[in-house]
Amino acid sequence: MQRRIRFTRKVIDALPPCPADHGGKEIEYTSEEAPPGLRLVVTKRGMKSWLFRYVMSRASGPGIKRAIKIGVYPGIDPADACRIALELRAQIAQGIDPQEAKQEEEREITLDDFFQTEYWPNAKHLRSAADVESRWRLHLRPAFGHLRFKELKTADIIRFHDAKKAELCAATANRLLQLLKRVLNVSQMLDYCDRNPCRGIRMHAEQNIRSRTLAGSELKRFLAALEDEPNRVAADFFLFALATGARREEGLGLTVGEIFIEEGVWRLPACRAKSGKSRVIPLNAIARQVLERRLAESKSQYVFPGKLGGHLVSPEKAWKRVLNRAGIVDLKIHDLRRSAATLILNEGGSMTQAGTLLGHAPGSTLTATRYAFLADQQLIDASQRLASVLAQASAPAAYLEEEMALTP
């Protein structure tokens, strides 16, 4: 394998992970154009980082071979890596050991500085990036962002974990602890700290399983309230989510290229699916009406566009208005997905049909063609049952006033 390459983004991005049969855990690349000692390290998982190798001379005896981690690619690009390597060589020429100098500097860096410069540049490419960013910004940074690594105490993290359970719920507290633990694991791998103070902290038992669904008069009031919602993009998204049983993020990020109205399908690519596997979702009459309306009113690549050129991200304000107008409490957007399954069952559908439509059933690993799903009449039948019950529940806006007047 060629170990000498050009340190450019195009070449580095094309590098494969370290081969599984390689003797070590990682492979190092050099470049004739880079300062001597600069290495690009690629792990078997495909992670890429910069390393600087050097020899620190001593007054007597042979010099000491050392290595110092510069940072993670693409957070640090080739030009910055070369510049840092030249600065390190200048320190060595002055008799300064870069490793000792970095260790002293890292003792002063805050956790938020590390997150922004080392962790986030790689995490922002994940499907869960939005969750990572919000959890850090809203919860972890206010509690720990200002601290240096040596100031992080296990006892303080335990108190934080317990407090978040009381304030929010066990599941949310656990997700926050998991993120903090991952950040500290990376910091330990990059030699910013010697240990992970999250290690040994037990997760809370999660028993916050929801069973809330829409049905009966509530469903009728909800559909009527959607008709009066001024944010038509959000209202259509809510109806589409209910008509397809789609996950929130999968529906919000829906693009025009994924929709095939003539075929009556939505092709969800693997890169956007929570399961990591592509899915083909049939579009019933209600879903088609929403899509035809959205495509006619918008020129965006997203079916449910936001205000800044991207897709709709946070429809919570519209959601609250709809619930208040319908007189509904304790209902979350994700509950629409559970409601879709319940409505299918109430219309005589089976658990298999409901689960398959929602993407719970494992897909076949031997799909003959892209259109093989059309043979699954159960999937199409489940979607049609869902459209039927929604059509029956739809009512004129006057129905809402009547229902609200009868509601105590």
Side-chain angles (χ1 to χ4, degrees):
M1 178 181 290
Q2 178 66 30
R3 301 287 187 87
R4 193 178 294 273
I5 62 173
R6 293 189 64 195
F7 284 166
T8 64
R9 283 189 175 272
K10 183 177 180 180
V11 173
I12 295 174
D13 290 341
L15 289 175
C18 176
D21 58 355
H22 185 67
K25 296 182 179 179
E26 54 195 27
I27 188 169
E28 295 184 8
Y29 295 90
T30 61
S31 175
E32 293 180 352
E33 304 165 352
L38 182 62
R39 305 283 192 271
L40 177 73
V41 180
V42 182
T43 69
K44 291 185 176 181
R45 297 181 61 184
M47 291 186 62
K48 299 165 185 175
S49 59
W50 299 103
L51 184 73
F52 180 71
R53 294 192 178 278
Y54 65 100
V55 177
M56 198 68 199
S57 59
R58 295 189 297 179
S60 60
I64 303 175
K65 291 183 178 181
R66 288 191 168 173
I68 182 172
K69 294 178 181 179
I70 293 179
V72 178
Y73 176 86
I76 295 181
D77 62 22
D80 288 336
C82 290
R83 175 182 55 79
I84 295 172
L86 289 173
E87 293 174 354
L88 295 176
R89 290 182 62 81
Q91 290 183 12
I92 295 172
Q94 298 173 16
I96 301 174
D97 188 335
Q99 190 177 82
E100 294 180 357
K102 184 181 180 183
Q103 288 175 349
E104 184 63 30
E105 178 183 347
E106 288 172 351
R107 293 189 185 101
E108 302 302 319
I109 190 173
T110 66
L111 193 58
D112 188 53
D113 290 336
F114 173 81
F115 179 87
Q116 301 298 340
T117 59
E118 297 282 5
Y119 190 85
W120 179 242
N122 292 280
K124 66 183 180 181
H125 302 294
L126 301 175
R127 284 199 299 269
S128 59
D131 291 334
V132 170
E133 190 278 334
S134 63
R135 287 168 184 164
W136 183 263
R137 173 173 47 84
L138 298 176
H139 303 282
L140 293 172
R141 183 167 65 186
F144 304 110
H146 62 289
L147 299 177
R148 295 171 292 179
F149 286 98
K150 64 181 180 182
E151 296 174 328
L152 286 170
K153 306 297 182 184
T154 299
D156 293 334
I157 298 175
I158 292 175
R159 295 188 186 98
F160 170 83
H161 189 215
D162 292 342
K164 288 300 177 182
K165 176 187 176 182
E167 175 188 351
L168 302 170
C169 66
T172 301
N174 288 342
R175 301 296 88 73
L176 294 174
L177 179 61
Q178 287 174 338
L179 175 57
L180 181 60
K181 187 174 183 178
R182 286 198 299 270
V183 171
L184 293 175
N185 277 339
V186 174
S187 70
Q188 190 174 8
M189 288 190 291
L190 296 179
D191 294 331
Y192 279 82
C193 62
D194 298 327
R195 67 180 187 87
N196 188 335
C198 289
R199 189 161 297 159
I201 301 178
R202 299 183 63 178
M203 295 291 178
H204 294 304
E206 298 182 18
Q207 298 177 342
N208 55 323
I209 300 176
R210 286 180 62 83
S211 58
R212 184 73 162 89
T213 61
L214 275 175
S217 63
E218 265 197 345
L219 176 60
K220 294 181 178 181
R221 299 203 308 270
F222 178 80
L223 294 175
L226 287 182
E227 294 294 324
D228 294 333
E229 170 53 38
N231 186 338
R232 299 312 305 159
V233 175
D236 278 343
F237 166 70
F238 300 146
L239 182 57
F240 182 80
L242 184 58
T244 60
R247 292 183 175 91
R248 170 179 167 141
E249 297 306 319
E250 292 172 351
L252 287 174
L254 177 63
T255 64
V256 175
E258 297 172 10
I259 295 299
F260 298 84
I261 292 183
E262 292 183 357
E263 298 176 28
V265 297
W266 166 18
R267 302 188 187 282
L268 179 66
C271 62
R272 289 212 313 109
K274 181 180 179 181
S275 64
K277 299 179 181 180
S278 61
R279 291 171 53 207
V280 181
I281 305 167
L283 299 173
N284 55 39
I286 302 296
R288 289 194 192 194
Q289 290 174 8
V290 172
L291 293 174
E292 290 171 353
R293 184 164 56 245
R294 285 290 100 223
L295 296 179
E297 295 182 7
S298 173
K299 301 299 181 181
S300 170
Q301 63 170 320
Y302 295 104
V303 175
F304 304 106
K307 295 181 179 180
L308 302 178
H311 61 74
L312 185 65
V313 176
S314 300
E316 278 75 15
K317 290 184 179 179
W319 179 253
K320 291 180 180 178
R321 288 195 299 265
V322 170
L323 296 188
N324 289 336
R325 194 177 298 114
I328 297 174
V329 297
D330 188 32
L331 188 74
K332 299 182 179 180
I333 295 177
H334 187 74
D335 294 334
L336 295 178
R337 178 171 165 80
R338 189 181 305 106
S339 299
T342 302
L343 294 174
I344 292 173
L345 297 176
N346 290 344
E347 281 294 295
S350 67
M351 289 291 292
T352 301
Q353 288 178 321
T356 303
L357 181 64
L358 271 59
H360 287 167
S364 171
T365 58
L366 298 175
T367 303
T369 69
R370 292 183 303 168
Y371 303 97
F373 82 97
L374 292 174
D376 189 354
Q377 187 59 41
Q378 286 192 348
L379 184 61
I380 300 174
D381 182 58
S383 181
Q384 291 175 343
R385 287 177 186 273
L386 183 55
S388 175
V389 69
L390 292 179
Q392 294 173 19
S394 297
Y399 175 83
L400 176 63
E401 299 178 3
E402 178 183 347
E403 280 288 320
M404 292 298 292
L406 297 176
T407 300

